Amino acid sequence: MAKGEGAESGSATGLLSPGILRGEETRRTQKGGKKQLTICSKLCYAVGGAPYQITGCALGFFLQIYLLDVAQVDPFSASIILFVGRAWDAITDPLVGFCISKSSWSRLGRLMPWIIFSTPLAVIAYFLIWFVPDFSRNQALWYLVFYCLFETLVTCFHVPYSALTMFISTEQSERDSATAYRMTVEVLGTVLGTAIQGQIVGKVDTPCIQDPDILVEEVNQTHDTSSLNDTKNAYMLAAGVIASIYVLCAVILSLGVQEHREPCEKKEQPPSFFRGLRLVMNHGPYIKLIAGFLFTSLAFMLVEGNFALFCTYTLGFRNEFQNLLLAIMLSATLTIPIWQWFLTRFGKKMAVYVGISSAVPFLILVALMESNLIVTYVVAVAAGVSVAAAFLLPWSMLPDVIDDFHLKQPNARGHEPIFFSFYVFFTKFASGVSLGISTLSLDFAGYLTRGCSQPEAVKFTLKILVTVVPIGLILLGLFVFKLYPIDEEKRRENKKALQVIREEAGSSGSDTDSTELASIL
C-alpha cells in the first residue's frame, strides 16, 4: 500500500464505520494496481517468448548444414561465422541489459519500445541470413554481418521481454503464473521452429555431386541448378514463415500486455557492477553449477549443431533428419512435466544424475550400431527425454543458488541480474566455441561441399563429435555436480531460513526488494 493511501485511511478512522472503511480500502487496493491478470493477458505475455525459441531452434539445427551445402561457404569460413555469431550473441546480453537500465520511461513504457522497434529490423536480418547472394567473393562476410546483426536485434527483443515480468503486475503470484504460461509457450516454440524449418526444407532434395573427382561444370547443369534453386527457395520460404510468426507474436505482445511502472518506485543507487560480480563469482555453489551445466550443455550443443550432418552423411538418412529432429523435440516437450514431477519428488540433484546420464547409453548405441532407421527413431525419442532434463533443470536450480547467496551475503541486494546474465553469457560463448571447433574439425577431415557422400575421415569425425565427445563432457559435468553442495536437505533449510527473514522484515521490506530488483532490471 502506498504511503498516501495509508495516511488517508488512518485519518478517516474516527469518522467512518468499519464496513465503509473495508470497502474503501478494497477500492484503493484495486487502484494501486494489485489486481489479477486475466488469462488473456497471461497468454499474450507468454506468446512473446516464442520468437526467441523458434528462431534459435532453426539456426541451431540448420545453419551449419545450410552454410556448407546450400550457400557453399568453405568449412573454415563457416566455423568463423558460427563461432563469432554465438560469441557476439553472448556479449550482447549484458550490453543490451546495461542500455535498457539507462532507458527512461516513455508513453509506451521503458521496455516495450525496445521490443516494438527491434522487431522489423530483426525480421529483415533473419530473412537475409537464409538468402544466398549472387556474388561469391564476400559471401562469408554477408552471413557473418547479418548473423551478428540478427543476434543483436533478437537480444534487444528478448532481454526486455524477460525483464517485463517485473512490470506486468505488482503481485508475485501473478508474475509466477505468467512465467508458467511463458515456459509452456517457449517449449512449444522449440517444437514449432524445428517442425517449420525441417518440414519445409525436407520436402526438397538438396543436389549433390556423386563423384568428387568430376568437376562441377561436367555435372548436368540444368538439373543441378534447378534443384539447388529449389533448395534455396525452400530455406527462404521457411524463413518467411518464421519471420511472419515473429511479427505476429510481437504484435500480440505489444497490444495485449500493458507495462506498469512500480507505484512506489524509489531512486536507489544500484550496486556497483564489478563489486557485485566479484561477490557472485566468489560464491562456490554458483561456480560449481555453472561448471557442471557448462559441460553438459556443451555436450547437447555439439549434438544439436552436428546432428543434421551426422544423419545425412554418417547414417545415410539424407531425407529423414528433419523427422528425427521433430521426434526429439516432441519427446522433450512431452516429458518436461514428468521431470517436473521427478525433481519435486526426488530432488533436483537426483534429477540431474538420472536425466543427464540417461543420454549416455543411447549415444553409445548410436556410435556402435549400423544404419538402422527404426533403431535411430527409438534412440531419437529416448534422447528427447534427456534433452527435456537439460532444458528444465538449469533454470530450476539457479534460484536455489541465489537463495543460498542471500543467506551468506545478507547485506548484498540486487545481484540477481548478474547471476542470470553471466549464466547465459558462459553458455552462449561455449556454444560458439563448440560449433566453431566442430566445423573446423570437419574442414581438417576433408569435408566435400555438396558431396553426396563424404570421405571416411569426415564420417568418423562426425561420429566422434556426436557421440564420443558428448559422452565425455556429460561424465565430466556429472563429476562436477558431485561437488555441488545444495542438495534437497540444504535447499529446505535455506527455504526455512529465508522464510523467517522475510517474516521478520515484513511486507514493507518485500515491497522494497521488489522495487529494487525492478529498478535494476
Side-chain angles (χ1 to χ4, degrees):
M1 181 182 294
K3 183 177 180 180
E5 293 171 357
E8 188 177 345
S9 297
S11 64
T13 304
L15 300 176
L16 300 177
S17 65
I20 297 175
L21 276 175
R22 282 194 294 272
E24 182 69 15
E25 188 162 332
T26 300
R27 287 190 294 273
R28 283 175 182 158
T29 300
Q30 292 175 347
K31 288 180 181 180
K34 294 183 179 180
K35 58 182 180 180
Q36 289 187 342
L37 292 172
T38 63
I39 294 179
C40 181
S41 296
K42 294 176 184 177
L43 287 174
C44 290
Y45 169 73
V47 164
Y52 184 79
Q53 298 298 336
I54 293 175
T55 55
C57 260
L59 290 169
F61 281 116
F62 291 91
L63 184 58
Q64 185 186 46
I65 194 172
Y66 166 80
L67 291 175
L68 293 174
D69 286 357
V70 180
Q72 299 178 39
V73 177
D74 64 274
F76 178 78
S77 298
S79 68
I80 298 298
I81 294 169
L82 294 171
F83 167 71
V84 175
R86 291 293 183 97
W88 177 250
D89 183 27
I91 295 171
T92 54
D93 280 282
L95 288 178
V96 171
F98 176 79
C99 294
I100 291 174
S101 67
K102 299 297 182 182
S103 301
S104 57
W105 283 85
S106 66
R107 186 172 58 85
L108 297 174
R110 184 168 65 176
L111 304 174
M112 199 63 75
W114 286 81
I115 296 172
I116 294 173
F117 293 114
S118 67
T119 294
L121 298 176
V123 164
I124 294 172
Y126 181 79
F127 184 81
L128 292 177
I129 291 174
W130 305 102
F131 175 76
V132 180
D134 292 334
F135 54 86
S136 59
R137 182 179 178 82
N138 295 316
Q139 198 175 62
L141 182 61
W142 168 282
Y143 292 110
L144 179 62
V145 168
F146 285 109
Y147 187 27
C148 291
L149 181 61
F150 171 74
E151 294 294 355
T152 303
L153 292 168
V154 78
T155 300
C156 292
F157 180 101
H158 194 255
V159 169
Y161 169 73
S162 300
L164 189 62
T165 309
M166 298 298 300
F167 299 94
I168 57 177
S169 174
T170 57
E171 288 292 311
Q172 184 61 44
S173 59
E174 292 300 304
R175 294 170 180 169
D176 292 342
S177 177
T179 301
Y181 278 78
R182 169 191 165 185
M183 293 303 296
T184 302
V185 172
E186 286 190 356
V187 172
L188 294 176
T190 61
V191 178
L192 191 61
T194 305
I196 292 174
Q197 188 83 8
Q199 295 304 313
I200 293 178
V201 172
K203 298 296 182 183
V204 182
D205 292 330
T206 303
C208 59
I209 302 173
Q210 295 287 348
D211 188 351
D213 295 327
I214 300 178
L215 297 177
V216 177
E217 289 79 9
E218 297 178 17
V219 185
N220 187 337
Q221 290 294 320
T222 304
H223 176 267
D224 181 69
T225 304
S226 175
S227 299
L228 186 58
N229 286 334
D230 290 343
T231 304
K232 294 176 181 177
N233 292 335
Y235 273 99
M236 286 192 290
L237 176 61
V241 173
I242 290 177
S244 301
I245 296 175
Y246 193 120
V247 173
L248 179 62
C249 292
V251 170
I252 293 174
L253 174 65
S254 58
L255 295 180
V257 177
Q258 184 178 1
E259 184 180 353
H260 300 283
R261 193 170 188 172
E262 286 286 341
C264 53
E265 185 175 347
K266 295 182 180 180
K267 303 295 183 180
E268 295 185 7
Q269 189 70 19
S272 169
F273 175 80
F274 290 104
R275 181 178 177 275
L277 180 61
R278 186 169 62 252
L279 284 174
V280 169
M281 291 304 171
N282 286 332
H283 190 56
Y286 182 61
I287 298 301
K288 293 181 177 66
L289 183 68
I290 281 183
F293 273 114
L294 191 61
F295 290 124
T296 55
S297 298
L298 271 174
F300 287 101
M301 288 172 187
L302 277 173
V303 176
E304 176 190 76
N306 296 282
F307 187 78
L309 291 173
F310 177 74
C311 289
T312 301
Y313 296 116
T314 303
L315 297 182
F317 302 140
R318 175 177 289 272
N319 298 320
E320 289 290 336
F321 75 87
Q322 71 275 4
N323 297 323
L324 290 167
L325 288 177
L326 187 58
I328 291 174
M329 300 312 296
L330 283 174
S331 173
T333 303
L334 295 175
T335 51
I336 280 182
I338 298 176
W339 284 118
Q340 182 67 37
W341 169 83
F342 188 94
L343 65 87
T344 57
R345 178 69 176 83
F346 299 101
K348 298 176 183 179
K349 199 168 180 179
M350 179 61 70
V352 168
Y353 291 141
V354 176
I356 303 298
S357 63
S358 63
V360 173
F362 298 106
L363 291 174
I364 294 175
L365 181 61
V366 169
L368 298 178
M369 74 177 185
E370 298 294 331
S371 296
N372 186 304
L373 187 58
I374 296 177
V375 175
T376 305
Y377 269 105
V378 173
V379 171
V381 172
V385 178
S386 294
V387 171
F391 186 93
L392 175 66
L393 290 170
W395 303 109
S396 175
M397 298 175 73
L398 192 53
D400 299 337
V401 173
I402 298 175
D403 287 344
D404 186 73
F405 175 81
H406 285 161
L407 287 174
K408 293 179 179 178
Q409 302 286 344
N411 296 323
R413 295 294 177 186
H415 296 82
E416 292 86 352
I418 298 177
F419 279 98
F420 282 93
S421 61
F422 273 86
Y423 184 88
V424 174
F425 171 81
F426 286 122
T427 304
K428 287 184 176 180
F429 190 83
S431 170
V433 172
S434 67
L435 279 177
I437 292 177
S438 62
T439 309
L440 199 59
S441 301
L442 295 177
D443 186 24
F444 291 148
Y447 184 87
L448 299 175
T449 302
R450 291 180 57 198
C452 291
S453 62
Q454 296 292 338
E456 290 301 320
V458 173
K459 296 179 181 179
F460 179 75
T461 301
L462 285 169
K463 181 173 288 190
I464 293 296
L465 291 172
V466 173
T467 58
V468 178
V469 177
I471 289 172
L473 290 170
I474 287 174
L475 295 177
L476 189 57
L478 292 177
F479 173 76
V480 175
F481 276 119
K482 188 72 175 177
L483 307 175
Y484 178 69
I486 304 179
D487 54 13
E488 197 63 20
E489 182 179 355
K490 177 68 173 176
R491 190 183 69 83
R492 284 195 294 264
E493 291 176 0
N494 289 348
K495 183 178 180 181
K496 291 178 181 178
L498 284 173
Q499 186 65 31
V500 171
I501 293 174
R502 292 189 182 110
E503 290 175 355
E504 291 176 353
S507 59
S508 61
S510 299
D511 291 341
T512 302
D513 289 343
S514 298
T515 304
E516 188 177 88
L517 178 57
S519 176
I520 293 168
L521 286 173

